[in-house]
Amino acid sequence: MEKYKAELAVVGGGPSGLIAAREAASRGREVILLEEHREIGFPCHCAGLLSIKGLAELGIPLREDFVRNIVKGASFFSPSGLSFTVERDEPVAAVVERGLLDKFLAEEASRTGVEITLNSKVKRLRRDHGSVSIIGEGFKAEVDLVIDAEGISQKLIRGVGLQPSPERCKLPAMQLDLAGVTLDPDYVEIHVGSKFAPGFVAWVIPLGDGEARVGLACKRGKGKVKDRLERFLRERFGDSTKPIEGSNRSGLITTCGPIAKTYTANLLVVGDAAGHVKPLTGGGVIPGGLCASIAGRVAAEAVEAGDFSETFLGRYEEIWRRRFWSEFKVARLVRSVADRLSDKSIDRIFKAVIEGGVYREISAWGDMDFHGRSIIKLLGNTDFWRALPSTLGGLARSLLTIMGKTGLET
């Protein structure tokens, strides 16, 4: 049996795990990263649409080896076919190949001193007199602190007494890449409604050169995702379009936001495992990476201080909550309301946005990564109120009242 010893171990080689490892190692800490697969970045389950602002904040350059396309806006489509577009004059998002991006992050982590070990699936964690034993398939590691970046499975946090995300929040998703399509390369498409994606959305992301990444997620028990995706492909692109071989990807996304507690003695939780995912879109690379950066810094401080207690490590949650909690909470609240809307109500909201010209304001101040302030501004728009039917207007007013009472407008 292989045996490893280090100050700090990161479990999981996705973006959040790699960023946390990079941040800790760059501060002089001894870090090992344990990745269960034989290659960093694969298999990949991500659509790869990431904000340029968020990438810059994470210190990730727009490199041609992993950036497929740059887009400046998104077009939204209602169940009945109403549509509006939000856009900026300058590009706002990059479409990346996530596997290649992860490899770039792994190279960065390695340069800071992180020891990356592949084919290392962790089975459980065991705390022993102030340190942690990591029990894996054919190996064991002894460390002072673990950063859990295991992803949406959340198996390890169950074993240490932390509460995982509710299963109802984990939606099945599937996507694939198409060749030979005709669409505007500057705009992503978002399709909402029960016809294709009940409880979530379908997406079309232009990759450039006549290619697109198409997928959807939906509530469990609302039909097979594969059948729904095939139906969406036929209606959006016709019967002649064929998927690019080997591009099919499936997995789960989570929409409930952060778990109740993201730390305990000797352990910090980051990324999808922590629920650091946008409830409205399922995207986790940017918010997960930003929170993982905090985790890496706090982990390095804990090693330096020799203090791995809950009290010390609680600083991680205190910092990320101070920065991001209101954003997660607003988006989660709106997600819960959106899940209950009928197709008719969705169409009415689209009509209000279009007739009130609200999409122009969203274009000016919308934030792709954190939606809370954008939602509050939308609910405060008088033209939006006037265009809403009375029933939906009452719902929006109730939302604004709840946000005000919980201090979410600040």
Side-chain angles (χ1 to χ4, degrees):
M1 175 179 282
E2 290 282 344
K3 293 186 177 180
Y4 306 103
K5 190 170 181 62
E7 294 172 330
L8 167 64
V10 177
V11 178
S16 292
L18 291 164
I19 289 169
R22 179 192 71 185
E23 292 301 312
S26 67
R27 288 163 172 77
R29 305 279 57 99
E30 181 186 22
V31 183
I32 60 171
L33 185 142
L34 304 168
E35 165 57 41
E36 66 174 311
H37 297 106
R38 63 184 180 181
E39 187 177 1
I40 291 288
F42 298 92
C44 173
H45 309 291
C46 178
L49 182 68
L50 308 176
S51 78
I52 293 173
K53 182 184 75 172
L55 289 170
E57 193 167 352
L58 290 173
I60 300 175
L62 298 178
R63 289 181 24 161
E64 291 184 359
D65 51 342
F66 55 76
V67 174
R68 289 287 304 271
N69 190 26
I70 298 292
V71 300
K72 66 178 184 179
S75 297
F76 295 82
F77 297 84
S78 80
S80 69
L82 298 173
S83 67
F84 63 86
T85 298
V86 296
E87 61 183 324
R88 296 278 178 84
D89 293 333
E90 68 284 353
V92 295
V95 184
V96 306
E97 290 295 345
R98 256 290 308 280
L100 299 178
L101 172 61
D102 289 10
K103 287 184 181 297
F104 166 79
L105 291 172
E107 291 169 3
E108 278 201 330
S110 294
R111 279 196 292 271
T112 63
V114 177
E115 179 186 345
I116 298 176
T117 305
L118 303 175
N119 289 318
S120 300
K121 184 173 183 177
V122 176
K123 297 168 67 176
R124 67 181 187 277
L125 306 175
R126 186 178 68 222
R127 281 193 286 256
D128 296 310
H129 302 99
S131 64
V132 183
S133 295
I134 301 174
I135 313 301
E137 294 183 353
F139 72 94
K140 182 178 180 181
E142 300 289 340
V143 299
D144 296 314
L145 176 62
V146 173
I147 296 179
D148 180 4
E150 65 182 297
I152 201 169
S153 65
Q154 299 177 311
K155 293 177 181 177
L156 297 179
I157 66 173
R158 289 180 173 92
V160 296
L162 296 180
Q163 187 68 35
S165 303
E167 289 301 312
R168 61 179 169 77
C169 297
K170 298 178 181 180
L171 309 184
M174 179 174 285
Q175 68 179 9
L176 47 78
D177 294 351
L178 298 178
V181 299
T182 302
L183 70 166
D184 193 322
D186 291 329
Y187 299 94
V188 172
E189 295 180 11
I190 303 296
H191 298 255
V192 299
S194 62
K195 183 178 182 181
F196 301 119
F200 206 66
V201 300
W203 58 86
V204 179
I205 300 174
L207 301 176
D209 299 323
E211 295 183 357
R213 184 161 295 149
V214 186
L216 61 80
C218 64
K219 287 183 179 179
R220 295 178 185 270
K222 295 291 185 178
K224 292 184 178 180
V225 178
K226 182 175 182 293
D227 294 340
R228 288 189 172 277
L229 179 56
E230 289 175 351
R231 181 181 180 185
F232 178 65
L233 290 172
R234 286 194 303 270
E235 297 211 14
R236 174 62 183 84
F237 296 102
D239 295 323
S240 60
T241 304
K242 300 296 181 182
I244 296 173
E245 186 175 353
S247 68
N248 292 53
R249 307 171 182 120
S250 60
L252 298 173
I253 61 170
T254 182
T255 61
C256 272
I259 60 177
K261 187 180 177 185
T262 57
Y263 70 98
T264 187
N266 303 96
L267 179 74
L268 301 175
V269 190
V270 300
D272 286 9
H276 288 154
V277 177
K278 294 178 281 187
L280 290 177
T281 67
V285 173
I286 301 302
L290 293 172
C291 293
S293 296
I294 298 168
R297 295 195 296 271
V298 171
E301 292 167 1
V303 173
E304 184 174 0
D307 188 345
F308 310 104
S309 66
E310 280 201 35
T311 300
F312 191 97
L313 296 178
R315 297 168 61 186
Y316 160 58
E317 185 158 307
E318 179 184 336
I319 296 169
W320 76 250
R321 279 180 177 268
R322 188 164 59 243
R323 286 191 63 187
F324 305 125
W325 175 244
S326 64
E327 300 286 348
F328 281 124
K329 192 167 185 178
V330 171
R332 185 170 63 185
L333 177 61
V334 174
R335 173 81 270 159
S336 68
V337 172
D339 288 345
R340 294 168 171 79
L341 292 176
S342 66
D343 283 354
K344 183 179 290 187
S345 293
I346 294 172
D347 273 316
R348 287 172 174 169
I349 291 172
F350 266 71
K351 187 178 180 181
V353 169
I354 294 166
E355 291 182 355
V358 180
Y359 61 91
R360 288 189 287 269
E361 293 194 34
I362 298 174
S363 296
W365 42 249
D367 190 314
M368 181 176 168
D369 292 317
F370 294 100
H371 305 116
R373 287 179 176 81
S374 299
I375 292 167
I376 291 167
K377 285 184 178 180
L378 172 63
L379 293 178
N381 182 284
T382 55
D383 292 329
F384 179 68
W385 289 111
R386 293 192 191 102
L388 273 180
S390 58
T391 303
L392 291 176
L395 176 62
R397 273 185 284 273
S398 297
L399 272 175
L400 197 59
T401 300
I402 292 170
M403 292 172 188
K405 286 180 178 178
T406 53
L408 298 178
E409 77 283 349
T410 60

